[in-house]
Amino acid sequence: MYEPILHVVLYEPEIPVNTGNVGRTCVAVGAKLWLVRPLGFQIDDRRLKRAGLDYWELLDWEIVDNYQMLLERLGERPMWFFSKRATRPYTDAHFQPGDALVFGSETRGLPPSLVEGQPDRALRIPIRNQARSLNLAVSVGIAVYEALRQFGVKQLE
């Protein structure tokens, strides 16, 4: 098995279509997808598979029961937390291959407790005040491709 270029973590995702689209992005770039329970859908949901198209069988993914289990499985890997409550722009972060990018649920976002003690790891994708938030799959795409840009990746195998 290959070493993933990134680890994308969805903390308690609720919408299967978003998770399917994030899975497709992970396959496209060689990232591993982590899903932290509880999930707002069944993993065999047809909407999840439809959004992921036929890529789901190519996806490197894992489900963990809780955040502590995720930390145990990821080890000492650097983590970046995406939150609309963060003040640091995502473009100020210095991503490295193997980093974990952590995103919260579609309706609640990330719990502040996950970021406590490491505010320098909390990142924000800027948006206008007229919008509450970006779509989860869009946010993941923005972050993943910024990381790849920083890595100097011009072509993926």
Side-chain angles (χ1 to χ4, degrees):
M1 193 76 177
Y2 71 99
E3 179 62 29
I5 195 163
L6 289 166
H7 295 263
V8 174
V9 177
L10 301 185
Y11 181 85
E12 299 181 1
E14 300 166 322
I15 302 173
V17 172
N18 283 334
T19 300
N21 283 315
V22 169
R24 189 181 339 178
T25 297
C26 288
V27 169
V29 302
K32 181 171 182 173
L33 177 61
W34 296 84
L35 304 176
V36 180
R37 286 190 171 111
L39 309 180
F41 52 86
Q42 297 296 318
I43 202 64
D44 61 354
D45 189 298
R46 66 177 176 77
R47 295 169 294 179
L48 174 75
K49 293 193 190 260
R50 179 181 166 101
L53 297 173
D54 55 348
Y55 298 116
W56 201 255
E57 62 194 38
L58 303 172
L59 178 62
D60 182 7
W61 62 285
E62 191 169 333
I63 298 175
V64 293
D65 288 334
N66 53 55
Y67 187 68
Q68 186 58 44
M69 184 180 283
L70 173 74
L71 293 177
E72 291 167 10
R73 297 282 295 129
L74 285 176
E76 296 296 317
R77 187 172 310 283
M79 299 175 81
W80 298 96
F81 302 92
F82 288 79
S83 171
K84 69 180 186 178
R85 291 182 290 274
T87 57
R88 183 178 183 190
Y90 75 102
T91 52
D92 284 358
H94 297 289
F95 300 111
Q96 297 294 319
D99 283 358
L101 311 179
V102 184
F103 299 84
S105 71
E106 291 88 341
T107 60
R108 295 180 311 276
L110 279 178
S113 62
L114 296 188
V115 185
E116 285 174 1
Q118 43 191 345
D120 59 319
R121 291 289 187 174
L123 304 174
R124 179 182 181 85
I125 299 172
I127 60 174
R128 295 175 64 212
N129 290 335
Q130 290 84 342
R132 284 188 311 277
S133 63
L134 290 173
N135 174 277
L136 176 60
V138 170
S139 296
V140 169
I142 289 169
V144 164
Y145 277 93
E146 172 60 17
L148 293 181
R149 185 194 68 75
Q150 288 185 20
F151 302 163
V153 172
K154 305 249 187 264
Q155 182 68 33
L156 293 165
E157 295 177 19

